[in-house]
């Protein structure tokens, strides 16, 4: 049956989101490429939650979970992980071989710490963790503030701006490039390569998407090998030099892992934060809250930033493999089966958050899933939080009267959730 109007108590009508629920089999059909869905996926998940919080998403071909308790538990359940081929071959799992044309991408992707399990994950994460602990990141506060002001100086006099292009994008990409020691003059290339690589994780990718991602990763690797070669000759006070030093100590980091780690940090270090800023500004403006009040104190700034990450997070979906045959909540899974944790839906679970669909920086502080969880909790969370806490108050202070100039539109990129543009005026 196609559900056009959810009828569960408290759920608003949403006639434009088509999806199908088969309660008997707990199967759900949602076209993630349908604009009615990716522009606002929350009503669909609320209607599904009311029927069954654990469901099989037909288009993805896996069991998914929308409740906060399930997502929290699954992030910490050691029977699940991000890597499976360390435990079984593709043949044993019934997985097709990777086409030769995709190997330049998968050879890099499989070395990312995000897709590794202990002990490899522990080794890789330990190498970079020191750079992202809160006390280290806090040293970047003046630089982020200066950068935010410099960017606003460029467009303040125009009276209007696309915030994504002119503010939300440059801040995180410049900051992470400077941390790593990659020239910010190559920011345009970094963004292009990152966007093409990230597109590989989206629902319904095409051959053109795959070809673009392969070309991007080849260019990215070639460029970073040049950067690494330069740092070997002349080490600097940056993260690339630190990683090279670790690699030269022996078996702690191979050169391929070094390159893959730099790519992950560059991609993850800006992609999500861009949309955390954009989604957060949109939420603040749409709810009409007084910026002077929500950014009045350090505590209120932190609370507002966390509410932005809860209310409309940039990452909505995170998958994991069953590492063994198991049963979870009555669902039988075979080793190698994938499950989906629907972070955006868990962040609006009414069992965890009072009036969950309302943007409320004053709500009681409760952990959210904007940065994932478990051993794969976002290593860059302290940096992302700092960028939000510095950039948002400066933006609203410098541009009083800030308002949305035209209806914002989200990108066709579920399970990432970010705006194509955010046109503002003042």
């Amino acid at each position: 049956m196609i559900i056009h109007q959810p009828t569960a108590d408290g759920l608003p009508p949403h006639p434009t989101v088509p999806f199908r629920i088969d309660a008997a089999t707990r199967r759900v059909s949602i076209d993630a490429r349908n604009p009615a869905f990716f522009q606002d996926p929350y009503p669909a998940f609320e209607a599904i939650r009311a029927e069954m919080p654990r469901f099989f998403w037909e288009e993805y071909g896996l069991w998914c979970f929308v409740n906060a308790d399930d997502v929290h538990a699954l992030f910490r359940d050691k029977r699940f992980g991000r890597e499976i081929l360390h435990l079984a071959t593709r043949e044993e799992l019934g997985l097709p071989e990777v086409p030769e044309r995709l190997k330049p991408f998968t050879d890099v992707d499989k070395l990312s710490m995000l897709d590794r399990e202990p002990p490899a994950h522990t080794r890789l994460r330990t190498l970079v963790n020191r750079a992202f602990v809160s006390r280290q990141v806090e040293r970047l506060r003046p630089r982020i503030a200066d950068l935010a002001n410099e960017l606003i100086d460029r467009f303040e006099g125009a009276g209007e701006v696309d915030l994504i292009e002119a503010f939300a994008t440059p801040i995180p990409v410049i900051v992470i490039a400077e941390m790593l020691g990659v020239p910010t003059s190559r920011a345009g290339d970094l963004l292009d390569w990152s966007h093409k690589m990230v597109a590989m994780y989206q629902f319904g990718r095409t051959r053109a998407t795959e070809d673009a991602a392969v070309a991007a990763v080849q260019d990215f690797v070639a460029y970073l090998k040049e950067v690494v070669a330069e740092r070997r000759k002349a080490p600097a006070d940056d993260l690339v030099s630190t990683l090279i030093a670790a690699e030269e100590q022996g078996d702690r980091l191979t050169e391929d892992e070094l390159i893959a780690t730099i790519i992950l940090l560059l991609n993850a270090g800006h992609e999500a934060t861009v949309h955390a800023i954009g989604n957060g500004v949109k939420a603040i403006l749409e709810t009409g809250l007084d910026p002077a009040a929500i950014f009045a104190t350090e505590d209120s700034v932190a609370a507002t930033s966390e509410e932005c990450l809860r209310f409309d997070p940039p990452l909505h979906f995170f998958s994991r493999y069953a590492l063994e045959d198991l049963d979870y909540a009555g669902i039988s899974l075979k080793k190698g089966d994938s499950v989906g944790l629907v972070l955006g839906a868990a962040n609006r679970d009414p069992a965890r958050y009072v009036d969950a669909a309302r943007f409320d920086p004053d709500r009681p502080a409760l952990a959210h899933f904007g940065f994932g969880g478990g051993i794969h909790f976002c290593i860059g969370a302290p940096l992302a939080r700092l960028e939000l806490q510095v950039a948002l108050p400066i933006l609203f202070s410098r541009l009083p009267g800030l308002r949305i100039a035209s209806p914002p539109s989200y990108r066709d990129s579920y399970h990432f959730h970010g705006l194509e543009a955010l046109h503002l005026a003042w």
Side-chain angles (χ1 to χ4, degrees):
M1 177 178 70
I2 300 292
I3 305 271
H4 291 289
Q5 182 171 324
T7 56
D9 289 346
L11 293 176
H14 204 278
T16 60
V17 181
F19 55 95
R20 185 181 69 251
I21 295 176
D22 185 334
T25 62
R26 293 191 288 177
R27 298 177 75 90
V28 172
S29 174
I30 314 172
D31 178 7
R33 301 298 302 273
N34 187 317
F37 172 74
F38 67 74
Q39 290 299 328
D40 184 9
Y42 301 106
F45 288 127
E46 286 312 304
I48 294 166
R49 191 199 314 274
E51 294 281 339
M52 47 190 184
R54 302 154 185 155
F55 65 94
F56 189 85
W57 192 335
E58 291 182 349
E59 284 79 2
Y60 275 93
L62 44 71
W63 284 94
C64 293
F65 303 84
V66 296
N67 278 0
D69 285 349
D70 280 330
V71 170
H72 177 84
L74 287 164
F75 265 129
R76 288 156 180 79
D77 193 325
K78 294 183 179 179
R79 298 175 299 170
F80 295 88
R82 288 286 292 174
E83 187 177 18
I84 190 61
L85 294 179
H86 64 310
L87 297 178
T89 65
R90 287 183 172 274
E91 184 178 8
E92 289 171 326
L93 297 171
L95 298 175
E97 290 296 322
V98 176
E100 193 67 30
R101 63 185 176 82
L102 293 182
K103 285 189 176 179
F105 180 89
T106 58
D107 285 349
V108 171
D109 193 53
K110 70 184 181 183
L111 295 178
S112 164
M113 76 175 79
L114 185 62
D115 291 315
R116 307 291 293 278
E117 288 297 300
H121 173 268
T122 307
R123 174 173 56 86
L124 293 170
R125 187 170 178 120
T126 300
L127 290 173
V128 299
N129 191 55
R130 280 192 216 99
F132 289 94
V133 295
S134 297
R135 64 180 179 277
Q136 289 292 102
V137 166
E138 181 61 29
R139 294 166 25 183
L140 298 172
R141 183 180 292 272
R143 174 59 180 137
I144 297 169
D146 288 345
L147 183 56
N149 279 303
E150 289 167 12
L151 293 168
I152 294 171
D153 287 342
R154 298 177 189 177
F155 58 74
E156 183 179 20
E160 60 182 5
V161 72
D162 171 10
L163 195 78
I164 303 301
E165 179 181 12
F167 188 78
T169 297
I171 290 175
V173 73
I174 290 172
V175 169
I176 192 62
E178 290 179 347
M179 283 185 70
L180 283 157
V182 176
T184 57
S185 60
R186 299 298 297 267
D189 290 325
L190 299 177
L191 287 169
D192 181 58
W193 294 331
S194 176
H195 291 158
K196 288 174 179 174
M197 289 183 68
V198 167
M200 286 288 279
Y201 310 118
Q202 296 167 196
F203 176 77
R205 74 190 195 201
T206 64
R207 174 63 184 264
T209 300
E210 294 174 344
D211 291 345
V214 168
V217 80
Q218 289 173 320
D219 290 342
F220 212 161
V221 168
Y223 171 65
L224 289 178
K225 285 185 174 180
E226 294 176 4
V227 172
V228 168
E230 291 172 2
R231 287 297 183 280
R232 287 194 195 280
K233 295 176 184 176
D237 183 18
D238 56 43
L239 189 49
V240 168
S241 298
T242 300
L243 292 173
I244 290 171
E247 180 258 341
E248 290 176 345
Q249 289 173 10
D251 63 356
R252 300 189 68 209
L253 190 71
T254 67
E255 172 137 333
D256 287 343
E257 287 175 332
L258 169 64
I259 297 295
T261 298
I262 297 170
I263 288 176
L264 172 65
L265 293 175
L266 282 166
N267 288 355
H270 81 272
E271 190 79 30
T273 309
V274 170
H275 299 300
I277 293 173
N279 296 358
V281 171
K282 171 180 176 286
I284 292 167
L285 292 175
E286 286 184 337
T287 51
L289 295 174
D290 178 10
I294 62 175
F295 297 125
T297 67
E298 287 186 15
D299 287 345
S300 65
V301 169
T304 300
S305 299
E306 293 304 304
E307 180 67 350
C308 289
L309 292 162
R310 181 203 70 85
F311 179 75
D312 199 18
L315 179 63
H316 270 219
F317 189 94
F318 193 80
S319 63
R320 307 190 79 202
Y321 290 108
L323 302 182
E324 59 188 65
D325 294 349
L326 60 93
D327 179 280
Y328 180 86
I331 298 170
S332 295
L333 298 166
K334 297 293 185 183
K335 182 166 73 172
D337 286 349
S338 291
V339 296
L341 313 186
V342 190
L343 309 183
N347 269 2
R348 295 205 184 183
D349 184 350
R352 183 178 181 87
Y353 308 100
V354 176
D355 202 2
R358 183 166 66 92
F359 183 81
D360 179 13
D362 292 327
R363 69 173 59 252
L366 288 171
H368 57 75
F369 301 98
F371 293 118
I375 66 169
H376 290 292
F377 183 84
C378 177
I379 197 170
L383 177 58
R385 284 183 162 123
L386 182 66
E387 288 170 333
L388 281 173
Q389 292 171 16
V390 173
L392 294 184
I394 289 174
L395 177 71
F396 282 92
S397 174
R398 289 282 308 271
L399 302 175
L402 199 63
R403 67 184 188 278
I404 296 175
S406 60
S409 178
Y410 288 90
R411 299 185 305 163
D412 176 8
S413 59
Y414 193 84
H415 51 273
F416 298 100
H417 188 63
L419 296 165
E420 289 183 312
L422 182 58
H423 294 288
L424 306 179
W426 52 93

